[in-house]
Amino acid sequence: MTSQHCILIGAPVDSGKRRAGCLMGPDAYRTAGIAAALESLGHTVEDIGNLAPETHPADTNDGLVYARNETIGWTSRLAQAAEDALECGLPVFLGGDHSLSLGSVAGAANFAAKEGRPLFVLWLDAHTDFHTPETSDSGNLHGTPVGYFTGRRGFENFPEVLNPVPEENVCMIGLRSVDTQERLALEDSSIRTHDMRHIDENGIAGPLNRFLDQVAEANGMLHVSLDVDFLDPSVAPAVGTTVPGGATVREAHLVCEILHDSGLMTSLDLVELNPFLDERGRTAHLMVDLCASALGRRVFDRPTRSYQ
Ligand SMILES: NC(=[NH2+])NCCC[C@H](N)C(=O)O
Ligand SMILES: [Mn+2]
Ligand SMILES: [Mn+2]
């Protein structure tokens, strides 16, 4: 297994929705032992601590979009952090709510463009997060990152997206809650969407492997964004937007194990963990275990042999 330099980036973003708590996420991952888990796999780990948003005007909360200015401050800060970290290793963003991915993905896209490689995004989530601030019913910006980094219009005052991720490079797995405006916009887009019914009928490995083949063929970089609510709430209760019927522990590990074996993942977000809603750290521990699977943990050190 090739060892990697993992850069843990604390992103205590809590501005993407009204319910507070994701700001405690980075420390919950640390408490759950994320650094030791990755080191035990032979990786080097550098924890750069928690970042803060760039200074921004105070939010007046217009009643439509919640904490827009703070989220703008985070977006530019995290885009720069992603670009810097990709110079020397594999950034792992410890969220923080999903609005952090406006920055982490935009930064990864800027880095990929400098390298002359396309960026691909794997979105593991119950939601598509494909709103713009104008289409959002809730006004919560954690529902908008995919809209932003694919270059949809309506993100006034946000940093310009210099390298929008082409829609055909985005693959979503785990979907089971899509708003009408998102559904209409997705119908006009070439984003690949795999809802839970598709997974129930066909399994989770097929769509993932097909996407990874596409990434490999294009010599692409791959950003993976893992939302806690991708998982079923019975195993991952610590998230404000639970939707029943999510991925099982085994399905989620399988995704992460396949990702590791592909050797394609170049950056990772762990988002939406709200430790205030957790049960004795079980969701934080599961997310750390999934991260470890994505970085090479397996049941056997060697491929298992079948009986002859
Ligand atoms: N990252 C998330 N948990 N997003 C949930 C978004 C829910 C809903 N679609 C909204 O825009 O408000
Ligand atoms: Mn999400
Ligand atoms: Mn979600």
Side-chain angles (χ1 to χ4, degrees):
M1 184 191 66
T2 47
S3 100
Q4 303 230 49
H5 185 56
C6 304
I7 303 165
L8 304 183
I9 302 172
V13 180
D14 221 0
S15 56
K17 71 236 159 299
R18 284 156 177 89
R19 189 206 290 257
C22 289
L23 83 169
M24 296 183 279
D27 287 330
Y29 290 125
R30 294 185 180 103
T31 308
I34 191 164
L38 300 183
E39 277 162 0
S40 76
L41 296 165
H43 303 298
T44 54
V45 178
E46 175 188 350
D47 185 342
I48 67 166
N50 288 353
L51 303 181
E54 267 174 18
T55 48
H56 52 274
D59 277 296
T60 47
N61 289 331
D62 48 23
L64 286 175
V65 176
Y66 180 73
R68 182 197 292 265
N69 292 338
E70 185 174 339
T71 309
I72 290 172
W74 272 115
T75 300
S76 40
R77 184 73 194 86
L78 292 171
Q80 192 59 53
E83 251 187 276
D84 293 347
L86 278 160
E87 294 284 350
C88 36
L90 178 121
V92 179
F93 287 87
L94 309 178
D97 71 50
H98 222 160
S99 68
L100 76 84
S101 304
L102 279 81
S104 63
V105 180
N110 292 342
F111 181 86
K114 275 192 295 192
E115 298 282 297
R117 297 170 65 188
L119 180 70
F120 289 76
V121 176
L122 177 63
W123 200 258
L124 300 169
D125 202 325
H127 308 94
T128 60
D129 296 341
F130 195 48
H131 275 294
T132 70
E134 289 162 2
T135 68
S136 169
D137 305 316
S138 66
N140 292 336
L141 290 165
H142 73 163
T144 68
V146 182
Y148 179 72
F149 67 67
T150 56
R152 294 189 74 190
R153 279 201 287 270
F155 287 85
E156 273 86 50
N157 300 327
F158 279 79
E160 187 191 345
V161 181
L162 300 172
N163 297 287
V165 179
E167 289 173 347
E168 53 275 16
N169 290 11
V170 180
C171 174
M172 300 179 166
I173 299 182
L175 305 175
R176 56 200 188 279
S177 173
V178 184
D179 296 338
T180 306
Q181 293 295 326
E182 292 178 295
R183 194 183 305 275
L184 292 172
L186 282 162
E187 278 167 12
D188 281 340
S189 90
S190 33
I191 293 178
R192 268 144 234 264
T193 53
H194 304 282
D195 61 13
M196 287 311 291
R197 173 176 179 173
H198 184 96
I199 290 162
D200 290 342
E201 287 189 326
N202 304 289
I204 210 162
L208 177 61
N209 279 319
R210 276 194 296 283
F211 178 62
L212 293 175
D213 286 346
Q214 191 198 344
V215 179
E217 233 165 77
N219 185 29
M221 298 186 66
L222 175 62
H223 182 94
V224 177
S225 206
L226 172 60
D227 185 321
V228 169
D229 66 36
F230 168 65
L231 296 155
D232 192 78
S234 61
V235 294
V239 58
T241 49
T242 50
V243 190
T248 64
V249 171
R250 279 312 320 157
E251 283 168 334
H253 272 293
L254 180 60
V255 166
C256 292
E257 288 159 348
I258 291 174
L259 277 171
H260 170 260
D261 293 353
S262 77
L264 292 168
M265 183 175 75
T266 45
S267 44
L268 173 65
D269 305 323
L270 304 175
V271 302
E272 291 287 336
L273 177 70
N274 184 340
F276 210 62
L277 305 175
D278 211 355
E279 295 164 1
R280 301 177 78 93
R282 65 189 290 225
T283 310
H285 275 119
L286 175 54
M287 291 292 279
V288 167
D289 285 341
L290 291 172
C291 181
S293 281
L295 280 150
R297 187 190 283 169
R298 52 173 67 213
V299 178
F300 292 102
D301 289 326
R302 289 163 280 114
T304 48
R305 287 177 52 183
S306 57
Y307 295 108
Q308 269 137 19

